[in-house]
Amino acid sequence: QVQLVESGGGVVQPGRSLRLSCAASGFTFSNYVMHWVRQAPGKGLEWVAVMWFEGTNKDYADSVKGRFTISRDNSENTVFLQMNSLRAEDTAVYYCARESVSRAYFYGLDVWGQGTTVTVSS
Amino acid sequence: EIVLTQSPATLSLSPGERATLSCRTSQSVSSFLGWYQQKPGQVPRLLIFDASTRVTGIPARFSGSGSGTDFTLTISSLEPEDFAVYYCQQRSNWQYTFGQGTKLEIK
């Protein structure tokens, strides 16, 4: 079945780095744009980053720009989020999600993983 | 960055009542807006895409409307399982943002 499974979360000190992975299965990964979305404890959803099919285009929320890098390996059906210079405010559950992209329509993020928890604390 | 403002922050209603949730964007996003439902401890679920198209399998009591800067999610007759937090999300120029959410609670 269609599935996204995140991994790589954990507890990390401020200023350190962490790399999240999201493994996709059950669909043609290279046909979808992939996102990372996070949710701090007790807070709402925050969009983090997006990457297009072949990795030629990517974009980030202002809150993570210059610190986080999204990448993907279509041969491994995996999207990554490299998080550097982590701050306490990056503490959140991180979800990956897919989007079927069209210039004419917004199909939304229709499949989400279960999330991986990142805690930034000394 | 386009800011999404959802109102009200909390909506208290009883089962069987009609719920109307609003999402206003700081700039026009055409119809590039989606609605999500999130229950405690669960992953967000897409309900509506492109402002007004219901995802397959979502009950017909959920409907979306609007374009430009003003959007509405309507639940025609609330079921007990509908009490949750609802988020809107926009895409404009391949940048994305979420609203802060509306909590729909049982009165």
Side-chain angles (χ1 to χ4, degrees):
Chain A
Q1 73 278 23
V2 175
Q3 195 172 9
L4 297 170
V5 178
E6 302 93 338
S7 61
V11 180
V12 61
Q13 293 179 328
R16 304 297 290 264
S17 299
L18 207 58
R19 189 195 199 203
L20 306 182
S21 301
C22 169
S25 59
F27 63 98
T28 304
F29 180 73
S30 57
N31 288 351
Y32 288 83
V33 166
M34 296 301 297
H35 295 259
W36 287 97
V37 176
R38 68 184 181 183
Q39 187 167 35
K43 302 297 185 182
L45 302 173
E46 180 186 14
W47 175 79
V48 173
V50 62
M51 187 161 197
W52 280 56
F53 317 98
E54 296 297 330
T56 52
N57 289 305
K58 57 184 79 172
D59 210 342
Y60 303 91
D62 289 344
S63 58
V64 306
K65 201 169 289 185
R67 300 188 299 123
F68 290 12
T69 302
I70 188 172
S71 61
R72 65 191 291 165
D73 183 341
N74 289 341
S75 67
E76 295 291 331
N77 294 340
T78 303
V79 61
F80 305 97
L81 187 67
Q82 177 67 41
M83 305 185 295
N84 298 333
S85 303
L86 282 162
R87 306 166 180 168
E89 55 264 36
D90 296 319
T91 294
V93 175
Y94 285 74
Y95 298 101
C96 65
R98 76 173 193 182
E99 178 190 357
S100 178
V101 168
S102 162
R103 291 190 182 277
Y105 302 99
F106 176 48
Y107 289 112
L109 278 57
D110 68 332
V111 175
W112 296 61
Q114 288 299 309
T116 187
T117 300
V118 173
T119 302
V120 183
S121 174
S122 54
Chain B
E1 174 184 302
I2 295 178
V3 176
L4 276 62
T5 302
Q6 293 187 240
S7 61
T10 304
L11 185 57
S12 300
L13 294 170
S14 300
E17 291 192 293
R18 181 184 186 90
T20 303
L21 287 67
S22 173
C23 177
R24 179 164 292 178
T25 63
S26 59
Q27 302 173 40
S28 176
V29 299
S30 183
S31 63
F32 292 176
L33 189 115
W35 288 94
Y36 301 82
Q37 177 193 67
Q38 188 179 32
K39 298 179 181 179
Q42 296 188 16
V43 174
R45 177 173 71 150
L46 179 66
L47 303 174
I48 302 287
F49 63 88
D50 210 47
S52 60
T53 305
R54 201 166 43 247
V55 172
T56 301
I58 298 302
R61 62 181 181 274
F62 290 90
S63 64
S65 63
S67 66
T69 61
D70 286 292
F71 300 86
T72 302
L73 175 69
T74 302
I75 311 172
S76 59
S77 179
L78 285 165
E79 297 288 339
E81 62 267 27
D82 298 337
F83 292 91
V85 180
Y86 292 84
Y87 297 94
C88 55
Q89 182 200 23
Q90 67 83 29
R91 183 191 85 193
S92 178
N93 294 324
W94 310 108
Q95 267 275 322
Y96 301 75
T97 45
F98 285 94
Q100 83 280 14
T102 289
K103 182 179 181 181
L104 179 56
E105 64 177 24
I106 300 176
K107 187 174 182 179

